[in-house]
Amino acid sequence: PKTDIVFLKVHKSASSTVMNILFRFGETHNLTFAFPTGGGNQLSYPHHFLARFVEGFYPESPQRFNILCHHMRFLQPEVQKVVSSSAVYFSILRNPVQLMESSFMYYKGTSAFSRAQSLEEFLSQPYRFYNLTKGDRHYARNLMAFDFGFNPDAEVSAKRVQFMLKAIETSFDLLLISEYFDESMVLLKELLCWDLDSVVFFPLNTRNSSTKAILSDDIVEKIKHWNRLDWEIYIHFNRTFWERIDRDFGRERMQREVKALRERQAELARICLQGTGSVAPNNIKDSSLRPLQHGRAKILGYNIKQGLDKETERMCRRLVTPELQYSSTLYKKQFTHKPP
């Protein structure tokens, strides 16, 4: 199994669920994480990543960490200072249309979105709300391109798009697609040589459907146009994702593996969860399992069954622990001498 991993955690793209998988694997195998200094949750985002943002990194005696997975703005030469040269790099993408709809709800307080009554209003005259000088503007435009380290306001030319796609392809071993999350987990399992239980998951940081907007065709086209860099990235890597499956895997084998993954998840849900799945935040009984609520989104969570034996309870708890709580626990474990 591969134990040296860089995951570029792209915002609002099911990346919290991937992070939980990495946290669980790292904890089980006693691996080290490249935590933000002071135990925060972002590596000085939205600045480009620098090695000095990592707790315990000293240039004069650089320590290599096994897993780098907290939010950052990608800059590979700096990333290479904190992980092994043999590290596997992967990230995840999401359809920019859904990504922007989600971002509008989640980042409602940002400068670009706060004054717009709706996504429609924002898109009707984006530059009325979007200010190139604001440090949080990237949440409203080409958020994926930004997280990969590129300029979200760059002019979209064929040459720039080619440069961007080539740079991503050169740096990353695998790009997952959040709309095909189960297939993505199968590919990830294969790439990392992990077993099935290492990539099972319960979706984390997901919204209550009541806060999701239905988008008209007109709005969809406007979103694609406004996020053209993201759209180019998504279209390209969605295509290469399926090409990879056809080339290395085959659709039939993929279907079998996805079926096995879903069956194991259903089994774990029966073992671990009260009820049939996720619940609204005010229905989560254990406050330590309540996810952070942000913007206008209602973030769902889980209740664990009572009366489980100790080992099962620990396994179930790991599966449903929200990102911030899990990160904090692992930070305390890795830096026992430091209060987060």
Side-chain angles (χ1 to χ4, degrees):
K2 305 275 197 301
T3 53
D4 293 313
I5 295 158
V6 174
F7 171 53
L8 177 62
K9 187 175 187 290
V10 171
H11 286 76
K12 311 311 306 153
S13 302
S15 53
S16 295
T17 306
V18 178
M19 203 172 187
N20 176 271
I21 288 167
L22 295 173
F23 281 166
R24 283 177 3 235
F25 187 87
E27 186 177 22
T28 304
H29 294 84
N30 221 7
L31 304 178
T32 56
F33 289 88
F35 283 107
T37 46
N41 300 296
Q42 310 207 58
L43 291 151
S44 248
Y45 189 86
H47 301 288
H48 274 103
F49 176 82
L50 295 174
R52 62 181 171 83
F53 297 156
V54 173
E55 181 79 64
F57 174 82
Y58 305 103
E60 56 278 6
S61 58
Q63 185 193 341
R64 304 287 185 199
F65 298 89
N66 296 117
I67 299 177
L68 175 59
C69 63
H70 286 73
H71 272 308
M72 63 169 159
R73 190 171 182 209
F74 191 64
L75 187 60
Q76 193 163 15
E78 286 291 316
V79 168
Q80 287 167 333
K81 293 178 184 176
V82 299
V83 294
S84 150
S85 58
S86 62
V88 174
Y89 286 69
F90 76 100
S91 187
I92 188 163
L93 304 172
R94 184 182 184 185
N95 186 318
V97 175
Q98 277 71 49
L99 176 66
M100 186 161 198
E101 186 274 326
S102 177
S103 297
F104 185 80
M105 296 302 289
Y106 201 80
Y107 301 117
K108 193 69 188 78
T110 58
S111 61
F113 290 151
S114 59
R115 290 178 299 112
Q117 293 307 302
S118 64
L119 190 51
E120 285 84 340
E121 188 186 1
F122 174 84
L123 289 163
S124 65
Q125 291 178 284
Y127 285 108
R128 212 179 108 208
F129 306 101
Y130 184 83
N131 186 331
L132 288 164
T133 65
K134 297 289 185 185
D136 63 358
R137 74 187 188 285
H138 58 279
Y139 289 115
R141 187 178 202 188
N142 291 315
L143 181 50
M144 292 194 293
F146 183 87
D147 286 353
F148 277 96
F150 304 108
N151 175 6
D153 299 305
E155 179 197 352
V156 184
S157 63
K159 194 175 171 185
R160 184 180 293 277
V161 168
Q162 280 314 111
F163 167 79
M164 200 170 59
L165 298 177
K166 191 84 198 122
I168 295 171
E169 268 172 351
T170 305
S171 299
F172 289 85
D173 300 292
L174 177 64
L175 276 298
L176 309 175
I177 303 289
S178 64
E179 284 79 15
Y180 303 105
F181 198 83
D182 293 350
E183 290 85 352
S184 292
M185 290 305 100
V186 171
L187 286 184
L188 185 65
K189 173 172 80 78
E190 186 83 353
L191 177 70
L192 299 176
C193 306
W194 289 5
D195 62 13
L196 182 66
D197 270 17
S198 296
V199 297
V200 294
F201 63 92
F202 295 148
L204 296 178
N205 208 26
T206 57
R207 277 187 300 159
N208 183 323
S209 56
S210 68
T211 63
K212 292 179 183 174
I214 307 292
L215 304 173
S216 68
D217 292 349
D218 178 50
I219 293 299
V220 167
E221 289 310 312
K222 282 179 175 170
I223 291 175
K224 287 181 193 174
H225 182 73
W226 177 247
N227 295 281
R228 183 69 195 286
L229 293 175
D230 274 7
W231 185 248
E232 295 285 351
I233 291 172
Y234 179 76
I235 288 299
H236 176 81
F237 287 107
N238 185 32
R239 193 185 72 246
T240 57
F241 178 85
W242 290 102
E243 284 170 0
R244 184 181 190 132
I245 289 172
D246 289 334
R247 186 186 67 233
D248 301 344
F249 226 81
R251 299 276 173 127
E252 276 183 36
R253 183 182 163 205
M254 177 55 79
Q255 281 177 338
R256 286 198 306 275
E257 298 250 359
V258 165
K259 186 168 178 274
L261 177 66
R262 288 174 181 165
E263 283 170 358
R264 180 61 178 142
Q265 273 162 208
E267 186 186 358
L268 285 171
R270 286 192 296 274
I271 293 168
C272 293
L273 303 180
Q274 279 181 31
T276 52
S278 53
V279 297
N282 47 353
N283 292 332
I284 299 167
K285 298 183 180 79
D286 183 341
S287 60
S288 71
L289 296 179
R290 200 169 291 146
L292 174 75
Q293 301 300 309
H294 205 287
R296 283 190 190 165
K298 281 194 175 71
I299 307 297
L300 305 172
Y302 297 91
N303 287 316
I304 290 179
K305 275 185 181 166
Q306 301 297 299
L308 298 170
D309 66 78
K310 219 172 182 154
E311 192 56 41
T312 308
E313 205 251 349
R314 195 167 80 210
M315 172 194 70
C316 294
R317 182 170 278 276
R318 281 177 175 178
L319 276 162
V320 301
T321 299
E323 174 187 328
L324 302 189
Q325 290 92 310
Y326 209 154
S327 183
S328 174
T329 301
L330 293 174
Y331 177 85
K332 287 175 198 165
K333 210 167 153 185
Q334 190 167 313
F335 299 101
T336 42
H337 59 289
K338 280 197 164 196

